[in-house]
Amino acid sequence: MNTPPPETIMVDTRRVSCDGASAIRGGDNYRPAALGHPRIYLEIDEHGYVDCGYCDRRFVLKGGPADGVDQASLPDISEGADPGHR
């Protein structure tokens, strides 16, 4: 049994950045993230998704092979690790 990623973000480009704190909602109970993590840049490969090695956010390319797939069924790809080229 695989665990789904904690957060999945659909993107339009293959190159994405993540700092662990962006895209956090505001509102009455809003508290900004204390630290996040260093901003890193990730490249989505032929699998159609990439995982952040710091916060485990998954970035899925819209219209790519991983779009519409059960995210819990996909192997983790952390910063370019090879999931076995399924």
Side-chain angles (χ1 to χ4, degrees), residues 1-2 8 12 15 19-20 25 31 37-38 41-42 50 58 61-62 70 72 75 79-80 82 84 86:
M1 180 174 102
N2 289 333
T8 302
D12 294 315
R15 188 154 172 84
D19 64 8
R25 283 177 259 168
R31 286 188 287 158
H37 62 69
Y41 293 89
L42 304 164
V50 68
R58 177 165 289 171
L61 184 63
K62 290 180 186 175
D70 175 20
E79 295 190 60
D82 182 8
R86 300 185 309 128

Side-chain angles (χ1 to χ4, degrees), residues 3 23 34 60 79:
T3 304
V60 178
E79 295 190 60

Side-chain angles (χ1 to χ4, degrees), residues 4 7 14 20 35 40 42 45 50 52 66 78 83:
E7 184 176 4
R14 289 192 174 273
L35 298 175
I40 60 170
L42 304 164
D45 64 9
V50 68
C52 175
S78 178

Side-chain angles (χ1 to χ4, degrees), residues 8-36:
T8 302
I9 300 173
M10 303 300 292
V11 296
D12 294 315
T13 60
R14 289 192 174 273
R15 188 154 172 84
V16 296
S17 67
C18 184
D19 64 8
S22 60
I24 296 175
R25 283 177 259 168
D28 292 336
N29 295 322
Y30 171 72
R31 286 188 287 158
L35 298 175

Side-chain angles (χ1 to χ4, degrees), residues 44-63:
I44 297 174
D45 64 9
E46 67 273 4
H47 300 97
Y49 67 101
V50 68
D51 297 330
C52 175
Y54 285 99
C55 65
D56 292 333
R57 280 183 176 168
R58 177 165 289 171
F59 296 90
V60 178
L61 184 63
K62 290 180 186 175

